[in-house]
Amino acid sequence: MSISSTSLSKRNAIRLIAAGALWTGAAALLGACTEAKPQFASIDITGADYAKDFQLTDHNGQPRSIKDFQGKVVVMFFGYTQCPDVCPTSMAELAEIKKMLGTDGDKLQGLFVTLDPERDTQAVLKAYMGNFDPTFLALRPELDQLPQLGKDFKTFYKKVEGKTPGSYTLDHSAGSYIYDPQGRVRLYSRYGSGATLLAGDIRLLLKGN
């Protein structure tokens, strides 16, 4: 009777040890997988079914889509040239990030999409981009394209009338969409995240993460 009990205890002990080993191995594998996943500062929207592509004309009159920028990380911001603070701050920050990237700076493409095509002509947009970086491009949708564009990119905008017909302002979303070098939308960066964090995310995408 005691021999049987002893054997049973040994078998139970062996089972516990084996189960513990399996659990330890699984935990190690899980930990390895967790560590391998890139830690982006921006919101990871990899696989999103929106903000995938666009067909817009740039400030030089050339048709553009995301396919034109293969091999580069694309940062796309929606705004308007008469914006008093958020838009110029965001574009200046992007120009700063390009400098922070050093030799990889030429692998960053800044895109500014106007939500105010009534006032933002191609000439106005070209001059505006010149204030930040000559390689950045402004994209100008037609007025009747804006509603669908806003839906496709989940971008909010609303005209706020001013004292005169041409003095209106726009309330609008202030984040940026970020695409990897393969043209896939990957991240959404909220306004005010800071140049250092965004530069870090861009470096990760350039490394193939």
Side-chain angles (χ1 to χ4, degrees), residues 33-156:
C33 290
T34 302
E35 291 171 6
K37 187 177 180 180
Q39 297 299 310
F40 293 111
S42 303
I43 301 170
D44 192 336
I45 58 171
T46 301
D49 61 355
Y50 56 91
K52 286 185 174 182
D53 200 359
F54 53 86
Q55 301 292 329
L56 297 171
T57 302
D58 70 18
H59 64 243
N60 296 311
Q62 183 174 344
R64 293 289 189 175
S65 75
I66 193 62
K67 297 179 182 66
D68 294 324
F69 308 107
Q70 291 287 314
K72 295 185 177 184
V73 168
V74 174
V75 179
M76 175 185 280
F77 179 83
F78 289 79
Y80 66 114
T81 63
Q82 295 192 41
C83 175
D85 42 35
V86 174
C87 300
T89 299
S90 296
M91 296 310 296
E93 184 176 89
L94 195 55
E96 179 186 352
I97 289 170
K98 181 178 178 180
K99 294 177 182 177
M100 291 171 66
L101 293 173
T103 55
D104 284 334
D106 60 351
K107 297 176 183 176
L108 170 65
Q109 179 62 59
L111 295 180
F112 177 87
V113 184
T114 181
L115 295 169
D116 186 19
E118 292 179 274
R119 295 181 298 189
D120 288 346
T121 63
Q122 288 183 357
V124 168
L125 289 169
K126 185 172 184 177
Y128 189 68
M129 289 296 97
N131 293 324
F132 306 106
D133 188 278
T135 67
F136 291 173
L137 292 173
L139 304 177
R140 183 179 180 273
E142 296 297 330
L143 193 59
D144 60 2
Q145 287 181 284
L146 277 179
Q148 187 60 50
L149 188 66
K151 290 179 181 178
D152 291 344
F153 284 81
K154 296 187 181 296
T155 296
F156 167 82

